[in-house]
Amino acid sequence: MRHSPLNLVVEDQPSLLSAEDGAKLRLEIGRLQRENRSLSIALSEIERVAERDMLTPLYNRRYFLSALHQRIARVDRDHGRVALIYADVNGLKAINDQHGHCAGDLALIEFAARMTTAMRRNDVLARIGGDEFGMLLDHVSHSEAKAFVRRLKAITGDEPMEYEGKQIKLSAAFGVAMVDRGSSAEDLIGLADTNMYLAKRRN
Protein backbone atom coordinates (compact mmCIF):
# COMPACT_ATOMS: atom_id res chain seq x y z
CA MET A 1 0.00 0.00 0.00
CA ARG A 2 1.37 3.34 -1.02
CA HIS A 3 1.49 6.10 1.56
CA SER A 4 0.92 9.74 0.78
CA PRO A 5 3.95 11.91 1.68
CA LEU A 6 1.64 13.74 4.04
CA ASN A 7 1.26 10.61 6.11
CA LEU A 8 4.97 10.02 6.52
CA VAL A 9 6.33 10.59 10.01
CA VAL A 10 10.02 11.28 10.38
CA GLU A 11 11.26 10.06 13.73
CA ASP A 12 14.44 10.91 15.55
CA GLN A 13 15.09 14.04 13.45
CA PRO A 14 18.48 15.33 14.64
CA SER A 15 18.59 18.85 16.10
CA LEU A 16 20.34 21.44 13.95
CA LEU A 17 22.29 22.68 17.00
CA SER A 18 23.34 20.80 20.05
CA ALA A 19 22.86 22.43 23.44
CA GLU A 20 26.58 23.09 23.59
CA ASP A 21 26.60 24.68 20.12
CA GLY A 22 23.60 26.81 21.05
CA ALA A 23 25.35 28.07 24.17
CA LYS A 24 28.46 28.93 22.13
CA LEU A 25 26.34 30.76 19.57
CA ARG A 26 24.62 32.82 22.27
CA LEU A 27 28.00 33.74 23.73
CA GLU A 28 29.25 34.80 20.31
CA ILE A 29 26.14 36.88 19.67
CA GLY A 30 26.60 38.57 23.06
CA ARG A 31 30.24 39.30 22.27
CA LEU A 32 29.35 40.83 18.89
CA GLN A 33 26.63 42.96 20.49
CA ARG A 34 29.08 44.28 23.09
CA GLU A 35 31.65 45.02 20.38
CA ASN A 36 28.98 46.81 18.35
CA ARG A 37 28.01 48.98 21.35
CA SER A 38 31.68 49.76 22.00
CA LEU A 39 32.16 50.69 18.35
CA SER A 40 29.10 52.95 18.42
CA ILE A 41 30.39 54.70 21.54
CA ALA A 42 33.83 55.11 19.95
CA LEU A 43 32.34 56.55 16.75
CA SER A 44 30.19 58.96 18.74
CA GLU A 45 33.27 60.14 20.65
CA ILE A 46 35.23 60.59 17.40
CA GLU A 47 32.38 62.69 15.98
CA ARG A 48 32.21 64.75 19.18
CA VAL A 49 35.96 65.41 19.19
CA ALA A 50 35.92 66.25 15.47
CA GLU A 51 33.47 69.10 16.03
CA ARG A 52 34.84 70.48 19.33
CA ASP A 53 37.58 73.00 20.02
CA MET A 54 40.65 71.49 21.69
CA LEU A 55 40.96 74.19 24.37
CA THR A 56 37.47 75.40 25.20
CA PRO A 57 34.29 73.31 25.44
CA LEU A 58 32.88 75.15 22.41
CA TYR A 59 32.32 73.97 18.86
CA ASN A 60 35.19 74.43 16.41
CA ARG A 61 35.43 76.22 13.07
CA ARG A 62 34.45 73.13 11.11
CA TYR A 63 31.16 72.73 12.96
CA PHE A 64 30.48 76.47 12.85
CA LEU A 65 30.81 76.60 9.07
CA SER A 66 28.50 73.62 8.71
CA ALA A 67 25.90 75.29 10.95
CA LEU A 68 26.25 78.55 9.02
CA HIS A 69 25.63 76.80 5.68
CA GLN A 70 22.52 75.16 7.17
CA ARG A 71 21.14 78.50 8.30
CA ILE A 72 21.86 80.12 4.93
CA ALA A 73 19.82 77.34 3.28
CA ARG A 74 17.04 77.82 5.85
CA VAL A 75 16.90 81.58 5.21
CA ASP A 76 16.63 80.94 1.47
CA ARG A 77 13.83 78.43 2.09
CA ASP A 78 11.63 80.03 4.77
CA HIS A 79 12.87 83.62 5.07
CA GLY A 80 14.17 83.14 8.61
CA ARG A 81 16.14 85.82 10.43
CA VAL A 82 19.65 84.83 11.46
CA ALA A 83 22.54 86.95 12.77
CA LEU A 84 26.21 86.08 12.64
CA ILE A 85 28.29 87.61 15.45
CA TYR A 86 32.08 87.64 15.39
CA ALA A 87 34.10 88.37 18.53
CA ASP A 88 37.81 89.04 19.00
CA VAL A 89 39.35 89.00 22.49
CA ASN A 90 41.29 92.20 23.11
CA GLY A 91 44.90 92.10 24.24
CA LEU A 92 45.45 88.34 24.21
CA LYS A 93 49.04 88.76 23.01
CA ALA A 94 49.74 91.16 25.89
CA ILE A 95 48.29 88.65 28.36
CA ASN A 96 50.53 85.94 26.92
CA ASP A 97 53.58 88.20 27.04
CA GLN A 98 53.00 89.52 30.56
CA HIS A 99 51.58 86.48 32.32
CA GLY A 100 52.49 83.48 30.14
CA HIS A 101 50.59 81.31 27.70
CA CYS A 102 48.82 79.45 30.50
CA ALA A 103 47.17 82.74 31.48
CA GLY A 104 46.27 83.35 27.83
CA ASP A 105 44.66 79.93 27.57
CA LEU A 106 42.72 80.51 30.78
CA ALA A 107 41.57 83.89 29.43
CA LEU A 108 40.12 82.17 26.35
CA ILE A 109 38.43 79.52 28.50
CA GLU A 110 36.97 82.19 30.80
CA PHE A 111 35.80 84.27 27.85
CA ALA A 112 34.11 81.20 26.31
CA ALA A 113 32.40 80.43 29.62
CA ARG A 114 31.06 83.97 29.92
CA MET A 115 29.79 83.93 26.33
CA THR A 116 28.04 80.63 27.04
CA THR A 117 25.96 82.17 29.82
CA ALA A 118 24.29 84.45 27.25
CA MET A 119 23.38 81.68 24.83
CA ARG A 120 19.83 80.70 24.11
CA ARG A 121 18.66 77.18 23.34
CA ASN A 122 19.28 77.11 19.56
CA ASP A 123 22.26 79.48 19.39
CA VAL A 124 25.59 78.18 18.12
CA LEU A 125 28.82 79.35 19.73
CA ALA A 126 32.24 78.34 18.43
CA ARG A 127 35.88 79.21 18.75
CA ILE A 128 36.88 79.98 15.20
CA GLY A 129 40.58 79.98 15.96
CA GLY A 130 43.12 81.88 18.03
CA ASP A 131 41.29 84.66 19.86
CA GLU A 132 38.25 84.75 17.54
CA PHE A 133 34.79 83.40 18.31
CA GLY A 134 31.63 83.11 16.25
CA MET A 135 27.98 82.93 17.24
CA LEU A 136 24.82 82.26 15.25
CA LEU A 137 21.52 83.68 16.55
CA ASP A 138 18.21 82.44 15.17
CA HIS A 139 15.04 84.54 14.87
CA VAL A 140 16.54 87.97 15.56
CA SER A 141 16.41 91.31 13.78
CA HIS A 142 19.48 93.48 13.25
CA SER A 143 18.53 95.73 16.16
CA GLU A 144 17.97 92.71 18.39
CA ALA A 145 21.37 91.30 17.40
CA LYS A 146 23.05 94.62 18.27
CA ALA A 147 21.28 94.64 21.64
CA PHE A 148 22.54 91.10 22.19
CA VAL A 149 26.08 92.28 21.45
CA ARG A 150 25.77 95.00 24.08
CA ARG A 151 24.77 92.32 26.57
CA LEU A 152 27.74 90.16 25.52
CA LYS A 153 30.14 93.07 26.02
CA ALA A 154 28.83 93.59 29.55
CA ILE A 155 28.95 89.88 30.42
CA THR A 156 32.45 89.31 29.08
CA GLY A 157 34.08 92.55 30.17
CA ASP A 158 32.54 93.71 33.43
CA GLU A 159 34.65 91.58 35.76
CA PRO A 160 38.43 91.00 35.48
CA MET A 161 39.80 87.48 35.51
CA GLU A 162 41.88 86.51 38.50
CA TYR A 163 45.13 84.67 37.78
CA GLU A 164 47.79 83.90 40.42
CA GLY A 165 46.55 86.74 42.59
CA LYS A 166 46.51 89.23 39.72
CA GLN A 167 43.53 90.89 38.06
CA ILE A 168 43.50 90.52 34.28
CA LYS A 169 41.03 92.64 32.32
CA LEU A 170 38.94 90.82 29.74
CA SER A 171 37.23 92.59 26.86
CA ALA A 172 36.36 91.95 23.24
CA ALA A 173 35.26 93.63 20.04
CA PHE A 174 32.12 92.34 18.28
CA GLY A 175 30.86 92.53 14.71
CA VAL A 176 27.42 91.65 13.34
CA ALA A 177 26.30 90.45 9.91
CA MET A 178 22.73 89.47 9.04
CA VAL A 179 22.17 86.34 6.97
CA ASP A 180 20.15 87.40 3.92
CA ARG A 181 18.82 85.38 1.01
CA GLY A 182 21.61 84.57 -1.40
CA SER A 183 24.33 85.19 1.20
CA SER A 184 27.52 83.17 1.04
CA ALA A 185 29.36 81.97 4.12
CA GLU A 186 32.55 83.68 2.98
CA ASP A 187 30.85 87.07 2.47
CA LEU A 188 29.06 86.88 5.83
CA ILE A 189 32.21 86.02 7.73
CA GLY A 190 34.10 88.75 5.92
CA LEU A 191 31.41 91.34 6.73
CA ALA A 192 31.19 90.33 10.40
CA ASP A 193 34.98 90.37 10.63
CA THR A 194 35.15 93.85 9.08
CA ASN A 195 32.47 95.18 11.44
CA MET A 196 34.35 93.65 14.35
CA TYR A 197 37.57 95.46 13.49
CA LEU A 198 35.70 98.72 12.97
CA ALA A 199 34.29 98.30 16.47
CA LYS A 200 37.78 97.56 17.79
CA ARG A 201 39.07 100.82 16.31
CA ARG A 202 36.28 102.82 17.93
CA ASN A 203 37.10 101.42 21.38
Side-chain angles (χ1 to χ4, degrees), residues 7-65:
N7 295 326
L8 291 176
V9 177
V10 179
E11 296 181 355
D12 299 327
Q13 177 69 28
S15 174
L16 294 178
L17 286 175
S18 67
E20 182 180 356
D21 287 338
K24 289 181 179 178
L25 181 59
R26 285 192 293 273
L27 287 173
E28 181 66 13
I29 291 173
R31 183 185 68 81
L32 291 174
Q33 289 174 334
R34 288 192 298 273
E35 287 185 356
N36 185 57
R37 284 194 295 269
S38 297
L39 180 59
S40 296
I41 293 171
L43 289 174
S44 297
E45 180 63 14
I46 289 171
E47 291 177 358
R48 187 191 69 80
V49 171
E51 63 188 25
R52 291 289 177 174
D53 177 53
M54 296 297 290
L55 178 64
T56 68
L58 305 182
Y59 289 115
N60 59 19
R61 182 183 182 88
R62 176 178 175 232
Y63 182 91
F64 184 79
L65 290 176

Side-chain angles (χ1 to χ4, degrees), residues 118-191:
M119 288 181 62
R120 304 167 308 167
R121 182 175 179 181
N122 295 320
D123 295 339
V124 174
L125 177 60
R127 183 185 175 211
I128 306 302
D131 54 2
E132 293 187 343
F133 295 78
M135 180 178 273
L136 295 172
L137 306 180
D138 289 333
H139 311 299
V140 293
S141 65
H142 188 244
S143 60
E144 290 169 336
K146 292 178 74 173
F148 193 85
V149 163
R150 289 193 292 271
R151 182 183 173 205
L152 286 176
K153 290 179 72 173
I155 290 173
T156 57
D158 273 357
E159 296 291 333
M161 180 187 81
E162 187 169 325
Y163 177 74
E164 294 185 344
K166 300 174 183 176
Q167 301 289 309
I168 299 177
K169 180 176 174 55
L170 286 180
S171 66
F174 297 86
V176 178
M178 297 301 297
V179 180
D180 297 318
R181 296 189 67 187
S183 299
S184 71
E186 293 76 13
D187 289 344
L188 287 167
I189 290 173
L191 178 58

